[in-house]
Amino acid sequence: MRSEDIAKLAGVSRSTVSRVINNYPNVPETTKAKVLRVIEQYQYEPNSFARALAGKRTDTIGLFAISMNEKENATRIYQNSYFAPIVDLVVDTANARGFYVLIHTVYSPGDFQKIKQAFLQKRIDGGILVGTQKDIELVRELVSQDAPLVLIDYDVSEIIAERLNKNHLAIINSMDYEGTVEAIEYLIGLGHQEIGILKGRMSTFSGRERYAAFETTLLNHGLTLRHDYVLEGEFLKETAYEETEKLIKRGKLPTALFCSNDDMAIAAMEAFAKHGIHVPNDISIIGFDDTQLASTISPKLTSVRLPIDDMAKSAVEKVIGLCNNDEASFSNVSFPTRLVIRDSCKLAAR
């Protein structure tokens, strides 16, 4: 019996069966119970491990979400506006290609063992890593073993600097630098000269790119980078809210605030609203990612749209290609971002 048969008997999609088998989060308990009943009744067992022991393909790829931040936890990762869509799209795309997805979250250096073990025990044919730059030693080790690997949100220059055979490696990014430049240019075009930033996590490539673009664009226009307007948001709502509160208490606000993701932008808006500061009349705000919530909050958030769909789908296609030996050389792809203008920005007061 195949997983497709289980799906038909349970009245669900093959994707749902795969999620239950892989213990994927956010599957409704009633749906999970229904699938497990059918699996038990027909004594269905995924044969990926048996095939691995026989030295054959498992038709399973690993997805490793890496968030090396002490404030992050296992429940938040699946609610995160960046990680959650990637996880969903990777699973759905892989399932459509007949692959299972083994999901691991990594919160500490010790958790990197999960990734090594998944490869060494041949539980997966290839892997996708999404996250910080702190795992470069792991990447070096896996690449040296010719493990099929796709990296999302990684600095290409750091990887290229490693003198390794990269024929089983691909890197996928978004054009965050260009997207940030577009956002800051838009604010400057509205007459804003005092622009602040809620920074992302600087251990990530995207965090560094967005800050570098912010800083360079201000300097290119002869504008002052005021360090009291540079807030350490870490890509987290709670941290962004606390940092915005500190900014308000200092008594001097910028006329506009660029936020390195939408979660932080929304947190800042909540902090401003608490103190009677109106967006955009008192301060303009731009986010990054263009999450679903950006178009539903009030005022609707102007945001840089991240090409999550393209990135996640490309990651799956790349890793499957590497597993099949269809891709014989190192590849690096960056997908364009786009500024989506809504209601959270206005002309600066003269």
Side-chain angles (χ1 to χ4, degrees):
M1 176 173 283
R2 301 172 302 168
S3 61
E4 292 91 334
D5 301 319
I6 296 295
K8 289 179 182 178
L9 289 166
V12 299
S13 67
R14 187 174 64 179
S15 169
T16 300
V17 173
S18 176
R19 294 183 185 199
V20 172
I21 292 171
N22 286 295
N23 198 26
Y24 183 79
N26 299 341
V27 177
E29 287 300 321
T30 54
T31 302
K32 185 176 182 179
K34 183 164 54 176
V35 171
L36 290 175
R37 277 198 301 271
V38 174
I39 288 174
E40 182 179 0
Q41 180 180 352
Y42 289 88
Q43 297 182 332
Y44 170 76
E45 294 182 7
N47 59 359
S48 57
F49 292 108
R51 292 165 66 186
L53 290 172
K56 298 179 181 178
R57 287 261 302 264
T58 65
D59 287 341
T60 301
I61 59 177
L63 175 60
F64 304 96
I66 303 166
S67 183
M68 305 284 283
N69 188 295
E70 61 185 14
K71 294 185 179 180
E72 201 84 67
N73 60 45
T75 57
R76 284 180 183 162
I77 202 79
Y78 296 105
Q79 300 167 359
N80 182 285
S81 61
Y82 178 73
F83 284 112
I86 289 179
V87 171
D88 283 339
L89 286 161
V90 165
V91 169
D92 289 343
T93 305
N95 288 167
R97 290 289 305 272
F99 279 73
Y100 294 107
V101 180
L102 178 68
I103 302 168
H104 275 309
T105 51
V106 177
Y107 297 100
S108 68
D111 288 341
F112 285 125
Q113 286 297 118
K114 298 177 183 177
I115 303 176
K116 291 173 63 176
Q117 288 171 357
F119 277 102
L120 292 172
Q121 295 171 1
K122 298 189 183 300
R123 297 166 62 196
I124 56 177
D125 298 326
I128 299 171
L129 271 63
V130 190
T132 74
Q133 238 53 59
K134 293 182 179 179
D135 52 341
I136 194 69
E137 182 62 39
L138 171 73
V139 172
R140 184 186 297 115
E141 187 174 342
L142 293 176
V143 170
S144 67
Q145 296 172 1
D146 291 335
L149 197 63
V150 173
L151 310 178
I152 299 178
D153 191 16
Y154 278 76
D155 189 341
V156 177
S157 63
E158 291 190 15
I159 301 300
I160 290 177
E162 299 292 326
R163 297 180 179 179
L164 297 168
N165 179 3
K166 305 178 184 68
N167 287 347
H168 292 81
L169 178 68
I171 297 177
I172 293 174
N173 287 315
S174 52
M175 296 181 180
D176 290 10
Y177 190 97
E178 293 82 355
T180 302
V181 170
E182 186 180 9
I184 305 305
E185 295 273 7
Y186 172 68
L187 290 174
I188 293 171
L190 291 175
H192 294 280
Q193 296 188 355
E194 295 186 356
I195 305 172
I197 182 172
L198 265 165
K199 292 167 61 179
R201 196 169 304 150
M202 297 301 281
S203 61
T204 64
F205 180 55
S206 54
R208 295 194 299 274
E209 285 286 278
R210 294 172 196 181
Y211 180 72
F214 167 79
E215 184 177 39
T216 302
T217 306
L218 289 187
L219 294 176
N220 287 344
H221 284 268
L223 299 178
T224 302
L225 174 65
R226 289 188 46 164
H227 292 289
D228 52 335
Y229 291 164
V230 177
L231 312 179
E232 305 291 337
E234 295 290 322
F235 286 138
L236 298 174
K237 289 189 71 173
E238 293 87 346
T239 306
Y241 188 93
E242 293 167 1
E243 286 286 292
T244 305
E245 286 267 317
K246 293 176 185 176
L247 175 67
I248 294 168
K249 289 176 181 176
R250 287 199 287 267
K252 181 70 170 71
L253 298 179
T255 62
L257 184 65
F258 170 76
C259 304
S260 294
N261 73 359
D262 285 356
D263 282 351
M264 295 194 297
I266 292 167
M269 291 170 71
E270 290 172 353
F272 287 134
K274 174 186 172 184
H275 291 272
I277 299 168
H278 187 267
V279 176
N281 291 339
D282 299 321
I283 186 168
S284 294
I285 290 186
I286 288 184
F288 205 111
D289 291 348
D290 193 32
T291 59
Q292 189 173 14
L293 195 56
S295 61
T296 60
I297 60 171
S298 181
K300 294 180 180 179
L301 180 64
T302 293
S303 183
V304 180
R305 178 168 294 170
L306 196 64
I308 290 287
D309 286 37
D310 293 331
M311 293 167 66
K313 291 175 182 177
S314 178
V316 174
E317 296 299 328
K318 287 284 185 184
V319 77
I320 291 176
L322 292 170
C323 292
N324 292 336
N325 292 315
D326 294 336
E327 309 220 4
S329 62
F330 170 74
S331 62
N332 169 39
V333 181
S334 289
F335 291 97
T337 57
R338 179 169 67 87
L339 181 65
V340 180
I341 298 172
R342 297 192 180 95
D343 306 328
S344 61
C345 300
K346 64 173 291 186
L347 288 169
R350 295 186 182 276

